[in-house]
């Protein structure tokens, strides 16, 4: 698997080189460093940027090259992001090429106080790629970027893949630069970003930061993140666990998840509706493998799963709206429902948002997986 990854990287480098060699007034492939990931933070001295670039000439024997990291990390400081990147490039004596950048990690100095500056950079800069994944580090973002978890060949790629897979399975949001720009430029909507944490040599994401404009409004925990992703209709799999009085801890695999959302004004109050349908398979029960499930057991488990999902969605909804974040795009849904209602509320939308109420409907259906599960 890692040999194939090395081959893909080398192929990409040669393709980029071929494309660049065919253009006038462009740098030769030997004069650039191909960036795979970047971290950005800000402190009292200005912006700090760390770029993770491919280093295919890294010293080591053949087996080390296939099993180990093939990147290097370069840092620079400056009064703005562009200057910090230039300073990092000067220290390397090569120009940094961002056409293959996979992920950008923001530090708390950016996430809590200076998101507006980063958004402006990603909207305007030629270095920005629309599909680059954005996230926040809890701690030093450079440490997260440089972490070599599971002996990753390109750590930045592994982090981006973790967030993409995480969104599908309900434990991490995945937001691209294009997503961020669309949410930020919308009249009433707010953006959100996943939070990555580093614990020892392991990175994980289970939290989501939601914003009110460029103000960090709240950080959703892992249960609220699951509810948030379900309401955003981002889920395609995952695991759910309920505590049943008879069967004990019971684990479900989420097979499908479909959510339809809408919003309206009722007596001036925003009402957000989410109709959620999930298909589940029972993975395991604490009562043991010899415990056969009756139809009444399954019906009860379905109801418990519905109640748990509804609770996670309610908590996520309240965490957003009570902190004046429209990351769920309630205002946009009202505009789709009635342009006249939308025109009534858009001027003072943020003062109305905390009074929003939710109508959440959840339907779970368990499917039979084998003859030992009597459904």
């Amino acid at each position: 698997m890692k040999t194939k990854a090395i081959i893909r990287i080398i192929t990409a480098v040669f393709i980029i080189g071929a494309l660049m060699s065919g253009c006038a007034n462009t740098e030769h492939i030997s004069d650039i460093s191909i960036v795979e990931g970047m971290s950005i933070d800000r402190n009292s001295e200005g912006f700090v940027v760390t770029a993770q670039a491919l280093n295919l000439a890294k010293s080591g024997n053949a087996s080390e090259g296939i099993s180990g990291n093939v990147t290097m990390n370069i840092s620079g400081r400056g009064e703005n992001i562009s200057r910090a990147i230039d300073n990092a490039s000067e220290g390397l004596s090569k120009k940094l090429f961002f056409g293959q950048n996979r992920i950008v990690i923001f530090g708390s100095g950016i996430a809590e106080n200076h998101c507006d500056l980063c958004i402006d950079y990603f909207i305007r800069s030629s270095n920005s790629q629309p599909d680059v994944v954005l996230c926040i580090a809890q701690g030093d973002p450079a440490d997260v970027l440089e972490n070599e978890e599971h002996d990753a060949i390109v750590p930045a790629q592994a982090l981006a893949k973790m967030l993409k897979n995480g969104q599908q399975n309900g434990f991490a949001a995945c937001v691209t630069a294009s997503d961020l720009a669309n949410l930020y430029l919308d009249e009433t909507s707010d953006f959100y970003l996943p939070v990555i944490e580093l614990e020892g040599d392991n990175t994980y994401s289970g939290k989501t930061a939601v914003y009110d404009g460029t103000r960090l409004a709240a950080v959703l925990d892992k249960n609220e993140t699951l509810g948030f992703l379900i309401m955003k209709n981002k889920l395609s799999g995952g695991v759910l666990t309920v505590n049943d009085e008879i069967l004990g801890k019971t684990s479900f695999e989420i097979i499908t998840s479909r959510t339809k959302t809408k919003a309206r004004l009722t007596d001036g109050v925003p009402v957000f509706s989410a109709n959620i349908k999930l298909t589940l398979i029972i993975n395991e029960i604490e009562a043991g493998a010899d415990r056969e499930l009756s139809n009444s057991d399954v019906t009860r488990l379905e109801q418990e799963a519905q109640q748990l999902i509804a609770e996670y969605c309610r908590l996520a909804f309240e965490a957003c709206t009570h902190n004046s974040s429209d990351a769920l795009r309630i205002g946009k849904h009202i505009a789709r429902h009635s342009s006249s209602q939308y025109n009534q509320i858009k001027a003072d939308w943020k003062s109305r948002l905390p009074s929003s109420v939710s109508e959440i409907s959840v339907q779970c259906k368990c499917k039979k997986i084998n003859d030992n599960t009597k459904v």
Side-chain angles (χ1 to χ4, degrees):
M1 183 64 70
K2 290 186 176 181
T3 303
K4 291 181 179 179
I6 287 284
I7 293 172
R8 286 197 295 269
I9 292 169
I10 295 173
T11 302
V13 171
F14 280 112
I15 291 173
I16 291 169
L19 291 173
M20 295 182 69
S21 64
C23 302
N25 301 320
T26 59
E27 292 82 9
H28 189 272
I29 187 68
S30 62
D31 298 324
I32 65 170
S33 288
I34 299 171
V35 174
E36 292 284 337
M38 180 169 67
S39 70
I40 306 174
D41 207 353
R42 184 171 183 177
N43 55 32
S44 58
E45 299 177 0
F47 287 87
V48 182
V49 168
T50 298
Q52 185 172 105
L54 294 179
N55 183 17
L56 298 181
K58 194 171 184 179
S59 62
N61 57 42
S63 61
E64 182 184 5
I66 288 179
S67 64
N69 189 333
V70 294
T71 65
M72 55 184 173
N73 297 289
I74 316 103
S75 296
R77 298 174 181 270
E79 65 270 19
N80 54 41
I81 297 172
S82 298
R83 175 55 61 188
I85 291 174
D86 285 344
N87 289 339
S89 181
E90 289 173 7
L92 188 65
S93 300
K94 290 185 177 183
K95 183 176 181 179
L96 296 176
F97 175 73
F98 289 87
Q100 197 170 306
N101 189 21
R102 309 300 180 92
I103 190 168
V104 175
I105 307 171
F106 300 125
S108 59
I110 294 291
E112 296 175 6
N113 302 300
H114 299 288
C115 262
D116 54 333
L117 300 178
C118 279
I119 293 171
D120 182 73
Y121 173 82
F122 283 104
I123 290 176
R124 302 178 191 278
S125 175
S126 60
N127 287 336
S128 177
Q129 302 298 313
D131 60 346
V132 65
V133 175
L134 309 177
C135 64
I136 297 170
Q138 185 168 307
D140 189 336
D143 288 344
V144 174
L145 181 66
E146 295 170 8
N147 180 53
E148 298 182 9
E149 182 179 5
H150 304 309
D151 198 25
I153 293 174
V154 182
Q157 287 185 13
L159 289 172
K161 186 175 181 179
M162 179 187 75
L163 292 176
K164 292 175 181 177
N165 291 340
Q167 177 164 270
Q168 294 175 351
N169 291 287
F171 58 83
C174 185
V175 180
T176 65
S178 177
D179 296 330
L180 178 72
N182 289 336
L183 291 169
Y184 178 73
L185 295 173
D186 188 72
E187 285 186 286
T188 58
S189 301
D190 289 308
F191 65 89
Y192 58 96
L193 292 169
V195 179
I196 291 183
E197 300 181 58
L198 180 62
E199 187 173 291
D201 293 331
N202 298 313
T203 53
Y204 61 95
S205 178
K207 299 178 181 178
T208 304
V210 295
Y211 282 78
D212 167 18
T214 57
R215 178 185 70 87
L216 179 59
V219 177
L220 310 184
D221 64 23
K222 64 177 183 179
N223 294 335
E224 292 166 341
T225 292
L226 175 58
F228 180 79
L229 293 174
I230 288 174
M231 289 189 290
K232 297 285 287 184
N233 199 33
K234 299 293 187 180
L235 213 66
S236 60
V239 175
L240 181 70
T241 301
V242 300
N243 289 312
D244 183 74
E245 291 184 359
I246 299 174
L247 302 173
K249 289 184 179 179
T250 302
S251 172
F252 302 93
E253 181 182 352
I254 300 173
I255 304 302
T256 64
S257 175
R258 297 288 183 271
T259 301
K260 294 183 179 180
T261 53
K262 58 184 179 180
R264 66 185 189 278
L265 284 183
T266 300
D267 297 328
V269 176
V271 179
F272 176 75
S273 300
N275 190 310
I276 302 162
K277 294 183 178 180
L278 297 100
T279 305
L280 310 173
I281 287 179
I282 300 173
N283 270 348
E284 58 181 325
I285 58 174
E286 191 175 11
D290 58 343
R291 175 64 157 85
E292 294 182 352
L293 300 182
S294 66
N295 288 335
S296 61
D297 286 331
V298 173
T299 299
R300 186 181 66 256
L301 290 173
E302 289 175 340
Q303 293 172 347
E304 291 170 348
Q306 289 168 181
Q307 292 169 0
L308 190 62
I309 291 294
E311 177 67 3
Y312 289 168
C313 292
R314 181 189 66 81
L315 291 172
F317 172 83
E318 292 179 354
C320 292
T321 57
H322 290 182
N323 290 286
S324 299
S325 173
D326 193 8
L328 289 168
R329 310 197 79 178
I330 301 171
K332 191 74 171 180
H333 284 300
I334 291 175
R336 291 171 180 168
H337 172 74
S338 170
S339 59
S340 60
Q341 285 189 346
Y342 176 73
N343 290 330
Q344 292 175 29
I345 55 95
K346 67 178 181 180
D348 62 342
W349 173 234
K350 285 306 178 77
S351 65
R352 293 175 180 262
L353 185 58
S355 66
S356 300
V357 297
S358 62
E359 295 177 343
I360 298 170
S361 171
V362 183
Q363 179 183 347
C364 293
K365 179 65 177 176
C366 284
K367 293 184 67 175
K368 182 176 179 178
I369 186 170
N370 57 43
D371 292 335
N372 292 326
T373 302
K374 294 189 175 182
V375 179

